[in-house]
Amino acid sequence: MSQPETTLWELEPHTEAKHIILRNYLRAWFPIMGQYNSRILFLDGYSGPGQYDNGEDGSPIIAIKEAMQYLDSCDKRISNKPEIAEIVMIFIEENTERAIHLQERIDSMEIHKKINVQVVNSNFEDTANDILQELEKSKAQLAPAFLFVDPFGYNLSFELIQKLMDNPKCEVFINFMYEFINRFIRRIGQEAVMTKLFGNEDWKQLDLDCQPEERRELIHGLYQQQLIDNTAKYVRSFEMKGKRNSTKYFLFYGTNHKKGLLKMKDAMWSVDTGGTYTFSDATNPLQGVLFGNEPNYEYLKDLLLLEFKGKTATIEEIEDYVLCSTPFRTTHIKLPILKPMEQNQELRILTDRKRRWTYPAGTIIEIF
Ligand SMILES: C[S@@+](CC[C@H](N)C(=O)[O-])C[C@H]1O[C@@H](n2cnc3c(N)ncnc32)[C@H](O)[C@@H]1O
C-alpha cells in the first residue's frame, strides 16, 4: 500500500496483527512496570489518528485502553503496596488533521485520572529531542518507557533511538519498513537518509547484488546488529510478509529485561494469522519460525541438541537458552520436548522429583 493521504485509512490485516501484538504486550507491560515504578511512559512516536476507516482503534487508543484496564484493576484491589502515581502517554503526530482527530477521540473518552495524555502535533525527532534536552537540563532520566516507533517510511534517526534507549528500563518496538528500504537503499539521493536510519555508513558496504533472500538477510542483519550493539541486550525481530510472500516489514523489539522478552514472545505467539499473511521470527534469518502454526518442535529439539548435547544442564539454564537465544517460548520445552526425549532415553534426570515426566525448579538434566 502506498502512504495514505487521507486523515483515516483502511486497516490492513498485517496492521491488525501488529495491534494484537501491541495490545497483548501492553497488557503484561503495564502491570509489570506499574508494580515497581511510580511513573511510567508510553511514547508513540508516529501515533496516527487513533482510528481506522471502519472505526477500528489505532495504536494510541489501544494503549490508552490497556492503561485504563490496568489502573481499573489496581483500583479494585485492596493492597498495602505503593501504587503507581502516573502513566504518561505521549502521542506524536506530524499531520495536523490526524493529530486533531486523535485529540477528539481522546476527548470523547473518560480517561482515568492517573493517565496524563499529551497529543503533540509535531515530528517525532524534534519532540523526542526536546524531551531529552529538558531531561538533561534538569539532570533527570526518562521514566521507564515503552517506545513505539511506527513510521510509514524510513526517515528515522538511529541516533535518536540510541539516545532514548540510553535511559534505563526503556524498551523499543520499531517498525522497520523493509519493503521501502529495500527499494530505495541504492537510490541516488537517499544516502543521508540511509545513514541516518542505520546510524552509520556500513550500509554502503553491503553487497546487495544478490538473491532477494540474501539481500533481506544483509539489510535486516545490519539493522539488528546495530540495535544489539547500541541499544538493548535482547533484540528480537519479526517478519511480516504480505499476500505475495514478499517481506513488508520487520518489527524489532529491544529490551534489557528478560521478563519483557518473555512477555513479547507470548504476545507474538498469540497472533493467529488466519492465513492472510505470514508472520515469523526473523532474528536468525536462516531459519524463520512461523507464528500462528503449531510450533516446529523438531527445530527446537535440534537447537537444544546443538547447545546441550553431551552436557549436563539445569532446567533453568535450558529455559534461559530457549528464551534468550531461540524464537520459542519456555512453555514449549517440557511436555513437547523433554518428556518425549526422556521416554526415548535421550536424556537422564539427575535430581529427585515427586512425579515422573516433570521438571521442577532445580532439575538437573544430562542430555545424551
Ligand atoms: C504508520 S502510521 C501510524 C499508525 C499507528 N501507529 C497505528 O498503529 O495505529 C504513521 C503516522 O506517522 C505520521 N508521521 C509521519 N512522519 C512523522 C514524523 N516525522 N513525526 C511524527 N509523525 C509522523 C503519519 O502522518 C502517520 O499518521
Side-chain angles (χ1 to χ4, degrees), residues 60 86 307:
E86 189 180 37
E307 184 69 15

Side-chain angles (χ1 to χ4, degrees), residues 176-182 215-216 247-250:
F176 183 77
M177 297 298 286
Y178 178 77
E179 197 176 29
F180 295 118
I181 296 163
N182 179 43
R215 207 175 145 107
R216 201 184 55 218
T247 305
K248 290 193 93 60
Y249 54 79
F250 291 106

Side-chain angles (χ1 to χ4, degrees), residues 9 15 18-19 44-49 52 58-60 92-95 98 122-124 148 150-152:
W9 60 95
T15 306
K18 186 170 62 186
H19 287 166
D44 193 340
Y46 297 78
S47 74
Y52 287 80
S59 57
I92 308 168
E93 171 54 56
E94 192 176 44
N95 176 297
R98 290 176 188 159
S122 180
N123 71 68
F124 172 54
F148 184 39
D150 185 23
F152 274 140

Side-chain angles (χ1 to χ4, degrees), residues 318-332:
I318 295 173
E319 284 178 340
D320 200 58
Y321 167 74
V322 170
L323 173 65
C324 301
S325 309
T326 80
F328 295 94
R329 293 164 78 182
T330 47
T331 50
H332 292 147

